Amino acid sequence: MDAQLLALLDDDPQGWVLARAVRERGEIVDFELIYINDVGARMSGRDRAELIGGRYREMWPETVHDGTLPLYCRVVETREPVTRTVYYDRASVAGHFELRIGPYGDGFGIRFVDLRQVTLAPQSDGGSRLYDMLDAAFDGFTLLRAVRDDHGEITDFICEYVNQLGAKLTGRAAEDVIGGRLSAVSPSSWADGLFDRYCRVAATGEQCRVRLPYPEIGQVWEINMGRAGAGFVAVSFREITDHVDQQLELTRSVARAEQAAARAGALQKVTTALVAASTTAEVYAAIGAVLRPSAGGQGLALLLRHDDHLRVAYHAGYEPDVVERLRRLPLDHPYPATAVARTGRPRYLTSTGEFEAAQPDPTVRVPRGGRQAWAFLPLAVAGEVLGTLIVGYGHPREFDVEERDVLTALAGLSAQALQRALLFETRTSIAAELQRALLPARLPEVPGLRHAARYLPWTHGVDVGGDWYDLIALGNGVVGVVIGDIAGHSAAAAATMGQVRSALRAYAAERHTPAGVLHHANQLLLDLHLDAIATCCYLEVHLTEGTVTAVLAGHPPPVLRTDDSAALVDLRRSVPLGVARTAVFAETTFLLPPAANLVLYTDGLVEDHRHPIDQGFGELCAALQIAPSRDPDAVLDHLLDSRVGPQPRTDDVAVLCLTNDSPAPGRRRAARRFRGEPVSAPSARRFAADLLTAWGQERLLNDALLLLDEVVTNAIQHTGGDVLVELRLADGVWVEVTDSSDRPPAQQAADADSEGGRGLLIVARLAEDWGTETVPSGGKKVWFHLP
């Protein structure tokens, strides 16, 4: 290389690089750097000795992919210089550079111009390079100098400089524009407001950017203005038509996306509202509150098919005269809703002209009201058309494909919800009728006993609960009271409940003991193979005695409220009905004082999986104790208003309240009839034990039970039929056992080895007195007295 040239390049304040081509079979495959000055080395961020002799693919591998290496090859092959502007933001080099690339031997030379170091001085070398750069720019550029009048007001501008692109855009050569006045070069600047903006920038120094559309040529320009010294305005301008078009298309895309999102949101909102609706009233409310605004209509009507006509089932925003015509619309009427209901195909009317054309006869025409466009949509589900949904609009409109799809979807959702609601109401009506049929329509009036009952269904719709209650007048001041619960919520559970309830009434009417009533009901439940379990509490209330005999089969115990307290009645417990054929049901007898309240209930009142039953018992007793009245209805209202048990409830609840209005008996006596069966002996013992304990006769309890057992066992073994046991409290305890045999009992001689014959001996030894007598109606009575 020429030494003089190298010295010149070394002294240049800009960077220089010389490289020669590396060829394989005549084709350039790389370049070898043969020279770089110190300025260029500093710009590259590497040592000069490290760079010389290196190859571009190794030192700058990115040049292979960013188009730089092909550009160098083109310069070498075409021998035409090019200029390239690059921007670097690296740790080693940062700035805005202009690369001038020209051919040099079988290679190229590059001059790096740091554009940050150039100035606007026209006479400087940097200024010349700046103007060269502006000529190569993609934007038009001009420098304007203000022309002022005698008062200092700007009246025009002189073009001090314009680059080649800017002159070309004016349709003139640069030399024709430079030195010319703005009024001659671009007279339209006054009409489009540019002149005023130039003046404001020159006066204030505030930068200004404006977009100017030129519809006549279909272009949009962006113009940037800034003050470049006193009285000078620098202006750059570019055509941005494509950019604006892209923005408009992007805006349209965003709008379409927003519309799609809005429609999807509307569908989701309508779906949520309609899915939550269970009844037709709720469906209509959802249609009016959610679907109507989602569809964008000013009026909405829903017509349902009834045989050969349509009837308006719901409307919103429709005038009374229009609604009146829609009350009963024959399916052959020309109104578009009828054809939609017949065919299941939607119809859209975009103007009042189309509406009137659809109904040419004005004498039968349904008025349009205040609407000018309509969407008639079929309410179709699984091929069945329930009717027509009409959405009316206050202005003429076109229905595009997307809108029609949305309206069709809204109508489909409405139809599905409406069908569910209609089916739900039909089945609910059937279920309600079944429930009413299975529960007593009216409890019998019993002298001396007031009562009230409540049934609170938790489940909605077709699930019928298995809770029940009943009151059975058995005559002679005796009342059977029952409350129970079949496991499950279904028509099958309700049917089982009906069977069990009927069986209990029948067995009670046959005057079985309470234990016998539940025993036979349990056998029936197992014989019918219903695979059901029932809990039950059965009471036999003897009003004249003031006593109650109860059997508890897996059920919560009743609560007794007296003058002193309200507490659970301590009853012997047995397994639920339907569990085991060998189940034994034990009775408990307790006193029912005058004016006392007795409350029976199902477990839904006091417990669920969240609410422990002991807590529910405590709440029930506390609420009953402070009830302001003894009236059964008032007591139940108070209990249900006191938030007893789980809230909200998760099970059906049956609750029954009894109030004893019978006066206290003149003497303490109680009698019970037992079957002539071996199991009656322990039942009689329990009856006597409960009653003597309630009367406070614990001191006589053991002797009384021993003697009663002997007498009852003797009656069962040696006679047939029922055994009547009566206890009286009068100067001690009197016990009478009546059977159907006239043969009096006889004492027998018993030695040490005898297995029996000691019963009357024991009675004679322990009782103060005892005896036997004939009953006038037949049979005999054996009695004993304990002082």
Side-chain angles (χ1 to χ4, degrees), residues 313-662:
Y314 173 79
H315 63 88
Y318 265 60
E319 296 79 4
D321 61 326
V322 181
V323 174
E324 186 61 32
R325 295 293 296 274
L326 298 176
R327 293 290 181 194
R328 182 183 175 91
L329 200 65
L331 284 176
D332 57 359
H333 193 279
Y335 187 62
T338 59
V340 171
R342 291 195 310 268
T343 65
R345 292 191 295 269
R347 186 173 179 184
Y348 302 91
L349 303 182
T350 61
S351 65
T352 57
E354 292 184 8
F355 183 82
E356 293 173 356
Q359 303 178 90
D361 187 354
T363 60
V364 298
R365 180 184 299 159
V366 175
R368 65 178 179 84
R371 282 152 294 285
Q372 300 185 46
W374 296 260
F376 295 91
L377 309 164
L379 294 167
V381 182
E384 178 187 3
V385 181
L386 305 179
T388 304
L389 177 65
I390 310 170
V391 182
Y393 301 86
H395 302 281
R397 66 186 289 139
E398 297 291 335
F399 298 89
D400 59 29
V401 175
E402 292 183 354
E403 185 174 10
R404 294 187 182 203
D405 290 342
V406 170
L407 289 171
T408 301
L410 292 176
L413 292 172
S414 301
Q416 293 174 15
L418 188 59
Q419 186 189 52
R420 286 197 307 270
L422 291 171
L423 180 61
F424 177 83
E425 289 180 348
T426 300
R427 297 174 67 188
T428 300
S429 176
I430 296 173
E433 290 296 329
L434 175 62
Q435 188 79 65
R436 282 192 292 270
L438 293 176
L439 290 174
R442 183 172 181 275
L443 296 177
E445 297 294 331
V446 178
L449 184 70
R450 282 182 292 161
H451 51 74
R454 298 284 190 276
Y455 181 79
L456 299 129
W458 167 74
T459 53
H460 299 285
V462 300
D463 289 333
V464 183
D467 296 23
W468 89 94
Y469 56 85
D470 207 352
L471 200 70
I472 309 161
L474 301 175
N476 298 322
V478 181
V479 183
V481 182
V482 61
I483 194 161
D485 183 5
I486 302 291
H489 296 88
S490 65
T496 302
M497 178 264 281
Q499 292 174 296
V500 174
R501 173 174 170 259
S502 299
L504 285 171
R505 290 185 65 89
Y507 296 135
E510 290 179 356
R511 298 309 304 266
H512 289 278
T513 63
V517 169
L518 291 198
H519 168 75
H520 289 295
N522 180 59
Q523 299 302 313
L524 176 66
L525 194 59
L526 293 170
D527 290 341
L528 293 177
H529 302 289
L530 297 176
D531 295 326
I533 295 177
T535 67
C536 181
C537 178
Y538 177 74
L539 311 179
E540 194 176 83
V541 181
H542 294 252
L543 295 171
T544 57
E545 298 176 355
T547 64
V548 179
T549 297
V551 180
L552 202 63
H555 201 82
V559 179
L560 178 65
R561 177 197 186 192
T562 62
D563 292 334
D564 300 327
S565 64
L568 298 175
V569 181
D570 187 12
L571 302 180
R572 298 178 179 91
R573 298 172 184 263
S574 307
V575 299
L577 305 179
V579 172
R581 192 173 291 276
T582 57
V584 176
F585 300 96
E587 299 173 346
T588 305
T589 300
F590 60 93
L591 302 181
L592 183 65
N597 290 129
L598 188 62
V599 176
L600 295 86
Y601 52 92
T602 54
D603 60 349
L605 179 67
V606 292
E607 71 161 340
D608 68 3
H609 64 281
R610 304 160 297 146
H611 201 89
I613 193 169
D614 289 340
Q615 180 181 345
F617 286 156
E619 294 167 347
L620 176 58
C621 294
L624 182 59
Q625 185 166 1
I626 62 173
S629 170
R630 300 279 175 167
D631 178 71
D633 281 302
V635 169
L636 293 186
D637 289 340
H638 171 75
L639 291 181
L640 297 178
D641 291 340
S642 299
R643 300 182 65 82
V644 171
Q647 303 291 332
R649 302 203 183 279
T650 58
D651 197 1
D652 297 347
V653 172
V655 58
L656 179 65
C657 179
L658 308 176
T659 299
N660 183 16
D661 287 338
S662 300

Side-chain angles (χ1 to χ4, degrees), residues 54-231:
R55 295 199 174 185
Y56 268 74
R57 286 181 178 271
E58 298 175 355
M59 294 188 295
W60 295 289
E62 65 273 10
T63 61
V64 180
H65 307 291
D66 65 5
T68 303
L69 208 58
L71 176 65
Y72 296 161
C73 292
R74 190 164 59 252
V75 170
V76 175
E77 292 170 348
T78 64
R79 316 305 291 177
E80 293 180 1
V82 297
T83 301
R84 186 182 189 194
T85 302
V86 296
Y87 179 79
Y88 295 117
D89 186 10
R90 303 173 183 167
S92 58
V93 57
H96 199 176
F97 301 96
E98 179 187 80
L99 280 64
R100 292 181 177 236
I101 310 164
Y104 175 74
D106 189 22
F108 62 83
I110 304 178
R111 188 185 190 203
F112 299 88
V113 178
D114 187 352
L115 297 180
R116 296 176 302 176
Q117 299 178 6
V118 302
T119 68
L120 281 174
Q123 67 275 16
S124 69
D125 184 51
S128 299
R129 289 195 298 273
L130 175 60
Y131 290 138
D132 291 342
M133 182 184 70
L134 292 175
D135 280 339
F138 293 103
D139 292 351
F141 180 82
T142 185
L143 184 65
L144 304 177
R145 176 170 56 84
V147 177
R148 302 178 185 271
D149 60 13
D150 295 338
H151 303 288
E153 297 292 331
I154 299 176
T155 59
D156 207 343
F157 286 90
I158 294 177
C159 180
E160 289 288 325
Y161 171 79
V162 66
N163 64 357
Q164 295 294 332
L165 179 59
K168 183 178 179 181
L169 293 174
T170 64
R172 296 179 173 86
E175 55 270 20
D176 296 332
V177 175
I178 295 175
R181 287 179 175 260
L182 183 65
S183 56
V185 175
S186 180
S188 61
S189 298
W190 274 258
D192 55 24
L194 286 177
F195 174 76
D196 293 335
R197 289 186 173 89
Y198 295 155
C199 292
R200 189 159 52 250
V201 171
T204 65
E206 295 181 1
Q207 293 184 344
C208 178
R209 173 180 295 180
V210 63
R211 286 185 177 183
L212 288 180
Y214 295 95
E216 62 277 6
I217 59 175
Q219 294 181 348
V220 180
W221 287 79
E222 181 182 79
I223 303 173
N224 293 280
M225 302 162 244
R227 188 165 67 181

Side-chain angles (χ1 to χ4, degrees), residues 669-693:
R669 62 171 297 279
R672 294 292 185 274
R673 186 175 298 276
F674 299 94
R675 296 280 181 176
E677 302 169 348
V679 294
S680 294
S683 297
R685 283 198 303 272
R686 285 192 292 268
F687 164 67
D690 293 339
L691 204 55
L692 292 175
T693 301

Side-chain angles (χ1 to χ4, degrees), residues 714 739 742-747 760 770-773 780-782:
N714 187 65
D739 59 48
D742 295 330
R743 189 182 68 176
Q747 294 190 33
L760 292 181
W770 76 281
T772 180
E773 57 188 66
K780 67 174 180 301
K781 178 189 300 182
V782 179

Side-chain angles (χ1 to χ4, degrees), residues 707 730-734 762-770 783-787:
L707 300 187
D731 188 26
V733 174
W734 296 82
I762 296 174
V763 172
R765 178 65 181 268
L766 296 180
E768 182 184 53
D769 195 7
W770 76 281
W783 57 269
F784 61 84
H785 173 230
L786 295 175

